[in-house]
Amino acid sequence: MTDDNAPVRFDTKIAVLLRDDLETWQRLNVTAFLTSGLGTRMPEVIGEPYADADGTPYLPMLRQPVLVFVGSKELLTTAHTRAVGRGATTAVFTSDLFMTGHDKANRAAVRAVPRDALDLVGLAVYGPRNAVDKIIKGASMHP
């Protein structure tokens, strides 16, 4: 017999690392943006659609928790270097994106800056649990 309520230990991890000097609204906005692209490139992270008891359909969500961490600007740069070096599935959010108003402008703002000069305020990483742990090493869980 299978216990549908038993905890699941995933072999993979979704982690968001936020710079520790962001305002609350920025932290929420950055987290939403960073996680939004995962399902488009990694369809296995998306669960089944939802429905309530009346049969009203709802969109599917990520099938596993998103763990949110905070760290210094320097830690974000280090984590980014680790993620790129390991070929991890990564999303970035730079400080420039707070001043843009749409997707095309966001992509242009990131494209205009060399990788090592990005002013990172957020980073999302998906991959094998141990690899992600090594990438975000030194970060603290978001309070």
Side-chain angles (χ1 to χ4, degrees), residues 23-119:
E23 299 289 329
T24 301
W25 74 267
Q26 291 173 317
R27 291 176 187 218
L28 295 169
N29 185 266
V30 170
T31 300
F33 269 96
L34 288 172
T35 58
S36 67
L38 273 174
T40 64
R41 297 293 175 141
M42 311 304 289
E44 69 272 14
V45 302
I46 302 297
E48 295 296 320
Y50 286 73
D52 59 30
D54 297 318
T56 306
Y58 301 102
L59 292 172
M61 294 188 276
L62 297 171
R63 68 179 178 90
Q64 68 188 84
V66 175
L67 302 174
V68 181
F69 298 85
V70 293
S72 66
K73 180 177 183 172
E74 295 76 21
L75 181 60
L76 250 74
T77 299
T78 299
H80 179 253
T81 300
R82 291 174 184 156
V84 171
R86 287 176 168 84
T89 300
T90 307
V92 295
F93 197 105
T94 66
S95 63
D96 296 330
L97 303 188
F98 289 126
M99 296 175 273
T100 59
H102 55 83
D103 185 55
K104 186 175 181 181
N106 289 350
R107 285 183 281 114
V110 173
R111 189 176 301 114
V113 181
R115 179 177 58 224
D116 293 340
L118 292 171
D119 185 17

